[in-house]
Structure formats: structure tokens, C-alpha cells
Amino acid sequence: LLGGCVYLRLLEVKQQLGQFDRFFALQTADGLALICHTPVLRTADLRWIGLNPEHTKKLGQAEQWQVRWVKQLPAGITEKMEFDIVLELGFAADKLTRVAIPERYFAVMPKPFLIGVIKSVGKGRIDKSSKRIDSTVAAADIAAARPKLPAIDKLLGVPSEEREEGENTIVRYRYVPATKEARAGVFDMHLTFHTKSGELLKWQGFTPVGRIGFDFSADRAKR
């Protein structure tokens, strides 16, 4: 029953993204923050999904979380710096009101690109049987160039796995929660690039509650 309620609220968020300017605002001065005008998701929903905070801070009736995932490297590989993923979440009256991404992630990834990807979720096609959302992202939805393979390497570091399929290179990044709790919060990112040009063609995220996929290849087919 709880799981069904969570999925209904996730669906409501998806529908809100389809009317982005009505339900959300953006702050871009320091990192990128998504502000929810009509909050839907609850703290219990996020914990059920697998988002457990590494650090929390109480501010009256408000609460702040820092959620961090640790990248899993191939056997025998080390890196000189950490390439973890960090999100900062804000809650009021037990509902998610703010999601913030630190500025450092935008050194090689334009903010307008990520904003366009987030907005495209509202237009995505839902497959309820497989718990999947697929979104085709057109150039009109993205106000900045897609990051290419060298930029993703710089942003995310060594992939957990890399392989070539025909003309494409597929890199996989696997992340586990820094909280060391049950591995419910594990998720994978699969990014498909055209090997020769380095262009990003597909971006898929595999989460404990379903899959979300973005297809950028339509623009390449038109050229």
C-alpha cells in the first residue's frame, strides 16, 4: 500500500513537471536549485525510494538533508579524487520543497542542458507495467550543447564499466549510498555516446523504483 501511494505521488510530480513554470522555480546563482511551489513528496517517500541522508539539520519546522552516493570503481582501479554524487534536499512540514546540486558539477555541464532534461520528464512516456519513463529530448528542449564523452569523463571520473557496441561507446556508472544501509538506494547510470564524435545519444538511470531514460539521438538522425 505504501509503495502504491509513493508511485502515485511520483506520478503527480511528473505531471507537475509538464507544467514546469506553474509548479517550480529555479535558482542558478550558486549551483542549481529546484524549488517546489506545491510540494508532493514526503520524507518517508524518499526513504522508501532509498534516499537516506548522510547528514541532517533541523531549522524549526524545516529540515535539510545531504544525500551522497559513492561511485563503484572497477577492480584494481583507484582515483586521486572523489567523484561522489551529492544532493542537498530541503523540507518544510515534512514535504520536499527544494533540491539543490552544488556548483562544482557545472564546471563541464551547462546548467541550461540539465534544466532542459529535467523539464523533459514532464513530457515523458510512462510504461506502468515496467515502471519506466522514457523521454525524447529535442534540441528545442535544451538551451545548451550536450556534454560530450571527454566532459563526462572529467565530471564523473573513471566509469564502473565501459564497452563498445557498433559505432557507440557505452559507459556505466554504479553508485551506492554513503550511509552503508541496505542497498535499496543503489542506482546505475548508462550513457551512450557516438564513439567518433563523442556526442551523447542516450542517458538512462536505473533506480530501485524504476527506470528513467532520455533519448537525444533524434537530433543526430536529422543531420
Side-chain angles (χ1 to χ4, degrees):
L1 180 62
L2 173 62
C5 292
V6 176
Y7 279 112
L8 287 174
R9 286 192 283 273
L10 287 171
L11 177 60
E12 186 175 349
V13 172
K14 188 264 182 192
Q15 293 170 338
Q16 288 185 351
L17 287 169
Q19 304 177 66
F20 190 89
D21 294 337
R22 176 183 173 187
F23 288 100
F24 298 96
L26 292 167
Q27 295 176 349
T28 59
D30 182 15
L32 177 65
L34 182 70
I35 310 301
C36 309
H37 293 321
T38 309
V40 174
L41 295 177
R42 305 169 183 174
T43 54
D45 296 340
L46 297 181
R47 290 183 184 277
W48 184 84
I49 290 169
L51 300 183
N52 292 298
E54 185 177 28
H55 303 290
T56 63
K57 181 189 294 185
K58 286 282 190 179
L59 300 169
Q61 292 187 338
E63 187 174 5
Q64 292 181 349
W65 287 10
Q66 183 183 83
V67 181
R68 183 168 65 94
W69 295 269
V70 179
K71 186 178 68 176
Q72 302 301 285
L73 285 166
I77 299 296
T78 58
E79 292 178 302
K80 292 183 179 179
M81 61 181 293
E82 290 185 348
F83 288 93
D84 298 347
I85 290 181
V86 175
L87 289 180
E88 297 168 358
L89 309 180
F91 301 87
D94 198 46
K95 289 188 177 180
L96 179 65
T97 57
R98 184 175 186 271
V99 180
I101 303 171
E103 181 67 33
R104 66 179 182 271
Y105 293 108
F106 300 102
V108 295
M109 180 173 62
K111 291 178 185 179
F113 165 77
L114 184 56
I115 291 169
V117 169
I118 293 170
K119 289 182 176 181
S120 77
V121 174
K123 306 173 186 177
R125 180 178 59 84
I126 297 176
D127 184 338
K128 293 182 180 179
S129 62
S130 59
K131 298 177 182 176
R132 189 173 79 191
I133 296 177
D134 290 303
S135 179
T136 298
V137 187
D141 297 322
I142 307 172
R146 302 190 300 272
K148 294 191 175 183
L149 181 55
I152 293 296
D153 285 343
K154 184 176 180 181
L155 176 66
L156 300 178
V158 176
S160 306
E161 179 185 338
E162 183 172 347
R163 68 182 189 276
E164 291 193 7
E165 290 186 2
E167 296 182 341
N168 299 331
T169 297
I170 300 173
V171 293
R172 170 182 172 241
Y173 291 88
R174 183 174 179 81
Y175 297 89
V176 301
T179 50
K180 308 297 184 185
E181 297 177 53
R183 298 172 72 85
V186 173
F187 78 93
D188 285 351
M189 285 196 300
H190 293 196
L191 295 93
T192 301
F193 296 87
H194 184 257
T195 303
K196 187 174 181 180
S197 68
E199 286 183 288
L200 177 60
L201 303 178
K202 293 183 179 181
W203 178 4
Q204 299 183 85
F206 297 84
T207 78
V209 294
R211 193 193 86 176
I212 184 166
F214 303 96
D215 188 346
F216 308 96
S217 60
D219 288 333
R220 178 175 178 81
K222 293 177 183 178
R223 295 201 297 269

